[in-house]
Amino acid sequence: MPSRDPRPAAVADDAGRSESSRELVARVIAGDLDAVDAVLAAAPTSADPGVLVVAAVLSGERGYLDRGAAAAGAARDRQLVALADAFLRGDHDLFDVLVREHLAAYPDQVPAAWLAARHSASPSRRFVNPERSMS
C-alpha cells in the first residue's frame, strides 16, 4: 500500500502564488474573504480533507464531505469530517459530544475549534436548562 504524503497539498491563488491547504484553511478561519473564495474555487478538485470540510461548511455542499471522507486517511481527518456532517445536519447533541472528544484528543485542530465556535454562535442554538421545569 503506498504511503500518503504527510505534507498538505499546495493551492495556487489567482496570482500564481502557492500556499499549503493548511495555510489556506487558517486564512479562512481568520476571516480572510479572499481565502474563502480560494477554498471554494479549490474544493472541486481538492483531495485535502480540511479544504473539503471548510468548503462544505461554507457552501452547504454535502458532496464535499463525501469526498473529504474518502480522502481522510488519519483518524483526526475522519473525525473532522464526522464533526462537519453533524454540524451541517444540525444534530446539536451529537456535534457537542463529538467536538468535545475531538478537541480533547487533538487540541491543535483549529478547524474543529472553528466549527465549535460557529456552532455555538448559531441562532438556532438555544440554552436549555434541564433543571428548570417547563411550565
Side-chain angles (χ1 to χ4, degrees), residues 59-134:
S59 69
E61 176 59 49
R62 298 191 58 79
Y64 293 144
L65 280 186
D66 296 337
R67 290 190 27 238
R76 71 187 282 144
D77 291 334
R78 290 189 300 272
Q79 290 176 12
L80 183 63
V81 171
L83 284 173
D85 180 56
F87 178 89
L88 289 175
R89 284 187 294 111
D91 191 337
H92 304 297
D93 293 335
L94 178 62
F95 180 85
D96 288 342
V97 170
L98 291 177
V99 78
R100 276 195 306 270
E101 294 286 326
H102 184 78
L103 289 172
Y106 307 105
D108 63 336
Q109 182 79 3
V110 177
W114 175 70
L115 283 173
R118 289 179 64 102
H119 183 256
S120 65
S122 170
S124 66
R125 296 281 297 160
R126 291 187 208 121
F127 177 76
V128 177
N129 184 346
E131 294 180 9
R132 186 174 177 194
S133 65
M134 303 285 285

